C-alpha cells in the first residue's frame, strides 16, 4: 500500500487506497482480483445492510410506533390540490370507501380508480342536447331534497349552478320521472347519503345499493363533470381537537371523521401529498411523528447511492475499479497471449466507456420531461 486518500466529489464523500502496481502484478490473479473488488464489496455490504434495516424497520420501531394500521399525513405542500383540506397529522381512512393503510396502497388504489374512470369515459348520456359523462357513482337523494333544489342552467353546453352547489342528473339506469334536467345540490350534504350505481369499487359497504335501486322516496343521482375528471371521496380523521388526537379514543368516532370530494386529476393528487404508514403509539413521543419517515428516507437514499456505486465501479470503464477487475480477470485466460490480452482489455474499455456515456446521456434526456413540481 502506497497511500490512502479521502476526497469529496460534489456533495458525496469518497476514499481510495493506492497500491504498488508492481507488487499487485506479482500476486496470483485471484488474490489481485480480491483486492480490486474490496471497494465494491464494501459498498455491496453497506447496500445489503440498508436493505435489511428497511425490511426490519417496522419491527425495530414497534415499541414506539404502529406500522401499517393507519395512513398519516406528514405534509401537504401549498401547490397540492388537497392543501386546506388535509393537515399534517390527519389520518386518511379511505379513498372512495376503500380503507388504505400504507402509502403504497394509496398510490395503487388511486391508479386503479383512475384506470376505472378512463375505462368508463366512453359511457355517456345526452341531456338537453349536452353530452354528460357517466361515471357510475350515484347517491340516493330524497325526492323532497330534489324538489327543493335549484334547477341547473345550460350555458355553452355546460350546467351552471349558483355558488358552491354542484349539478346532479339522474343515473342512466334510473327511472326518475320526477327529475328533469339537472338539479343543483350541496355536495357536502349529498356525500353523507347512501350510494348507488356500479361505479363504486367497494362491495362490503351496506350503504351502497346495487345498480340504481334506492329506497322508496329516493332517486339515484350522479354529479355532472367533464370526461377525464375523477370524482373521488376522501374520508379522514381530524387531529385538530384534543379528543380526536388522543390515540385512546375510538378511531371511527363520528365527530372525528370528515369526508370531502376531490374532483380532478387523481394521479397528480395522490402524488402531491406526503404520507407515512407510521403513527406514534403515544400522543407525546420523544422522537416525533416525522422520525420514522426521515429514517426511512435516509436508508433508502443510502441504499440507492451504495447500489449506484457498486454498479458504477463494476463497469469496464477507464480509471474505475472495473478496469483493474477486467485486467486481472483476463490474466486467468492462460491460452491468450499478452498481446491479445492487452488488445481485448483496450477494446472492452473503449466499448464500455462509450456505452456508459450513451446510457448516461439517454437517462438524462428521458428524465427531463418526467420532472414535476408540486
Amino acid at each position: 500500500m502506497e497511500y490512502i486518500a479521502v476526497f469529496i466529489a460534489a456533495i458525496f464523500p469518497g476514499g481510495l487506497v493506492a497500491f504498488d502496481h508492481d507488487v499487485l502484478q506479482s500476486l496470483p490473479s485471484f488474490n489481485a482480483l480480491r483486492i480490486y473488488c474490496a471497494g465494491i464489496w464494501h459498498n455491496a455490504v453497506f447496500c445489503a445492510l440498508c436493505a435489511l434495516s428497511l425490511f426490519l424497520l417496522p419491527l425495530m420501531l414497534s415499541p414506539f410506533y404502529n406500522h401499517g394500521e393507519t395512513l398519516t399525513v406528514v405534509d401537504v405542500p401549498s401547490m397540492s390540490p388537497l392543501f386546506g383540506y388535509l393537515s399534517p397529522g390527519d389520518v386518511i381512512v379511505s379513498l372512495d370507501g376503500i380503507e388504505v393503510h400504507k402509502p403504497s396502497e394509496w398510490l395503487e388504489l388511486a391508479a386503479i380508480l383512475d384506470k376505472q374512470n378512463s375505462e368508463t369515459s366512453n359511457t355517456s348520456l345526452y341531456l338537453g342536447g349536452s353530452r354528460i359523462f357517466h361515471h357510475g357513482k350515484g347517491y340516493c337523494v330524497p325526492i323532497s331534497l330534489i324538489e327543493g333544489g335549484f334547477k341547473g342552467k345550460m350555458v355553452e353546453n355546460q350546467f351552471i349552478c349558483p355558488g358552491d352547489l354542484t349539478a346532479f342528473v339522474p343515473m342512466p339506469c334510473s327511472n326518475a320521472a320526477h327529475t328533469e334536467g339537472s338539479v343543483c345540490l350541496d355536495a357536502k350534504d349529498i356525500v353523507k347519503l347512501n350510494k348507488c350505481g356500479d361505479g363504486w369499487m367497494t362491495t362490503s359497504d351496506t350503504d351502497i345499493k346495487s345498480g340504481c335501486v334506492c329506497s322508496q322516496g329516493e332517486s339515484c343521482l350522479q354529479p355532472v363533470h367533464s370526461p377525464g375528471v375523477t370524482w373521488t371521496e376522501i374520508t379522514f380523521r381530524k387531529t385538530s381537537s384534543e379528543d380526536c388526537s388522543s390515540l385512546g379514543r375510538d378511531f371511527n368516532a363520528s365527530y372525528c371523521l370528515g369526508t370531502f370530494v376531490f374532483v380532478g386529476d387523481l394521479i397528480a393528487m395522490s402524488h402531491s401529498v406526503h404520507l407515512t404508514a407510521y403513527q406514534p403509539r403515544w400522543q407525546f413521543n420523544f422522537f416525533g411523528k416525522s422520525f420514522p419517515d426521515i429514517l426511512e428516507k435516509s436508508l433508502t437514499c443510502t441504499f440507492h447511492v451504495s447500489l449506484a456505486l457498486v454498479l458504477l465501479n463494476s463497469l469496464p470503464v477507464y480509471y474505475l475499479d472495473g478496469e483493474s477487475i477486467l485486467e486481472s480477470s483476463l490474466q486467468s485466460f492462460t491460452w491468450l497471449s499478452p498481446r491479445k490480452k492487452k488488445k481485448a482489455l483496450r477494446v472492452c474499455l473503449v466499448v464500455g466507456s462509450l456505452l456508459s456515456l450513451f446510457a448516461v446521456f439517454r437517462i438524462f434526456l428521458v428524465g427531463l420531461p418526467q420532472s414535476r413540481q408540486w
Side-chain angles (χ1 to χ4, degrees), residues 1 4 33 58 60 62 91-92 95 101 106 118 122 131 139 194 223 230 237 257 276 279 281 320 345 350 353 357:
M1 183 176 66
I4 298 176
L33 186 62
M60 292 187 294
S62 59
V91 175
I92 297 179
L95 192 64
H101 306 93
W106 164 267
S118 62
N122 294 327
R131 183 173 182 266
Y139 299 88
N194 293 339
T230 306
R237 192 185 78 164
L257 293 179
T276 181
Q279 189 178 35
R281 289 185 177 273
L320 295 181
L345 176 64
V350 171
S353 300
L357 289 174

Side-chain angles (χ1 to χ4, degrees), residues 58-177:
L59 180 62
M60 292 187 294
L61 296 178
S62 59
F64 309 100
Y65 297 90
N66 292 317
H67 179 264
E69 297 182 4
T70 57
L71 187 61
T72 305
V73 179
V74 177
D75 183 38
V76 185
S78 58
M79 298 296 292
S80 170
L82 299 184
F83 182 78
Y85 296 91
L86 294 176
S87 303
D90 287 349
V91 175
I92 297 179
V93 178
S94 63
L95 192 64
D96 252 9
I98 304 175
E99 292 187 0
V100 286
H101 306 93
K102 299 178 181 179
S104 58
E105 295 179 359
W106 164 267
L107 297 176
E108 181 180 357
L109 181 56
I112 293 175
L113 292 173
D114 183 74
K115 181 180 179 181
Q116 183 193 48
N117 174 72
S118 62
E119 289 176 351
T120 57
S121 61
N122 294 327
T123 306
S124 59
L125 62 122
Y126 287 83
L127 188 60
S130 176
R131 183 173 182 266
I132 306 300
F133 175 50
H134 168 48
H135 47 77
K137 294 180 179 180
Y139 299 88
C140 293
V141 183
I143 297 176
S144 60
L145 186 61
I146 297 174
E147 293 175 349
F150 293 94
K151 298 297 181 181
K153 296 181 179 179
M154 180 73 72
V155 179
E156 297 181 356
N157 292 329
Q158 290 185 351
F159 288 108
I160 304 299
C161 289
D164 294 331
L165 300 181
T166 303
F168 287 81
V169 295
M171 292 281 287
C173 54
S174 176
N175 297 323

Side-chain angles (χ1 to χ4, degrees), residues 263-292:
V263 180
D265 187 347
L266 190 58
I267 298 297
M269 180 276 294
S270 64
H271 287 85
S272 69
V273 288
H274 189 192
L275 307 172
T276 181
Y278 292 92
Q279 189 178 35
R281 289 185 177 273
W282 305 282
Q283 184 175 359
F284 301 100
N285 191 297
F286 176 77
F287 298 102
K289 295 181 179 180
S290 302
F291 175 73

Side-chain angles (χ1 to χ4, degrees), residues 30-346:
F30 182 74
N31 292 341
L33 186 62
R34 290 177 59 186
I35 295 176
Y36 290 134
C37 292
I40 297 175
W41 171 251
H42 172 269
N43 289 321
V45 171
F46 202 55
C47 184
L49 290 176
C50 290
L52 182 62
S53 299
L54 285 171
F55 179 75
L56 297 177
L57 190 60
L59 180 62
M60 292 187 294
L61 296 178
S62 59
F64 309 100
Y65 297 90
N66 292 317
H67 179 264
E69 297 182 4
T70 57
L71 187 61
T72 305
V73 179
V74 177
D75 183 38
V76 185
S78 58
M79 298 296 292
S80 170
L82 299 184
F83 182 78
Y85 296 91
L86 294 176
S87 303
D90 287 349
V91 175
I92 297 179
V93 178
S94 63
L95 192 64
D96 252 9
I98 304 175
E99 292 187 0
V100 286
H101 306 93
K102 299 178 181 179
S104 58
E105 295 179 359
W106 164 267
L107 297 176
E108 181 180 357
L109 181 56
I112 293 175
L113 292 173
D114 183 74
K115 181 180 179 181
Q116 183 193 48
N117 174 72
S118 62
E119 289 176 351
T120 57
S121 61
N122 294 327
T123 306
S124 59
L125 62 122
Y126 287 83
L127 188 60
S130 176
R131 183 173 182 266
I132 306 300
F133 175 50
H134 168 48
H135 47 77
K137 294 180 179 180
Y139 299 88
C140 293
V141 183
I143 297 176
S144 60
L145 186 61
I146 297 174
E147 293 175 349
F150 293 94
K151 298 297 181 181
K153 296 181 179 179
M154 180 73 72
V155 179
E156 297 181 356
N157 292 329
Q158 290 185 351
F159 288 108
I160 304 299
C161 289
D164 294 331
L165 300 181
T166 303
F168 287 81
V169 295
M171 292 281 287
C173 54
S174 176
N175 297 323
H178 39 263
T179 307
E180 297 181 358
S182 68
V183 58
C184 298
L185 302 171
D186 192 346
K188 295 179 181 179
D189 297 329
I190 300 301
V191 295
K192 300 176 183 178
L193 303 176
N194 293 339
K195 299 177 177 65
C196 58
D198 55 1
W200 304 100
M201 287 189 59
T202 178
T203 57
S204 59
D205 196 338
T206 56
D207 291 336
I208 298 180
K209 310 295 183 181
S210 60
C212 296
V213 179
C214 290
S215 303
Q216 187 175 4
E218 295 178 340
S219 179
C220 187
L221 302 184
Q222 66 167 347
V224 177
H225 54 76
S226 304
V229 177
T230 306
W231 172 286
T232 308
E233 286 189 10
I234 300 177
T235 302
F236 66 101
R237 192 185 78 164
K238 309 171 186 177
T239 58
S240 55
S241 65
E242 184 178 350
D243 290 340
C244 295
S245 62
S246 176
L247 301 181
R249 292 281 185 176
D250 179 16
F251 179 81
N252 291 321
S254 58
Y255 57 84
C256 293
L257 293 179
T259 300
F260 63 90
V261 173
F262 171 77
V263 180
D265 187 347
L266 190 58
I267 298 297
M269 180 276 294
S270 64
H271 287 85
S272 69
V273 288
H274 189 192
L275 307 172
T276 181
Y278 292 92
Q279 189 178 35
R281 289 185 177 273
W282 305 282
Q283 184 175 359
F284 301 100
N285 191 297
F286 176 77
F287 298 102
K289 295 181 179 180
S290 302
F291 175 73
D293 188 68
I294 295 175
L295 183 59
E296 188 175 32
K297 279 191 171 183
S298 300
L299 290 173
T300 302
C301 181
T302 305
F303 171 82
H304 289 156
V305 171
S306 299
L307 181 61
L309 290 175
V310 169
L311 298 177
L312 179 64
N313 286 324
S314 301
L315 295 176
V317 179
Y318 286 106
Y319 305 113
L320 295 181
D321 291 341
E323 177 185 5
S324 301
I325 292 173
L326 178 62
E327 182 180 5
S328 181
S329 300
L330 289 175
Q331 298 301 323
S332 60
F333 295 95
T334 55
W335 48 274
L336 286 177
S337 62
R339 182 182 177 183
K340 290 184 177 180
K341 290 179 182 178
K342 290 183 178 180
K343 185 177 180 180
L345 176 64
R346 185 168 56 253

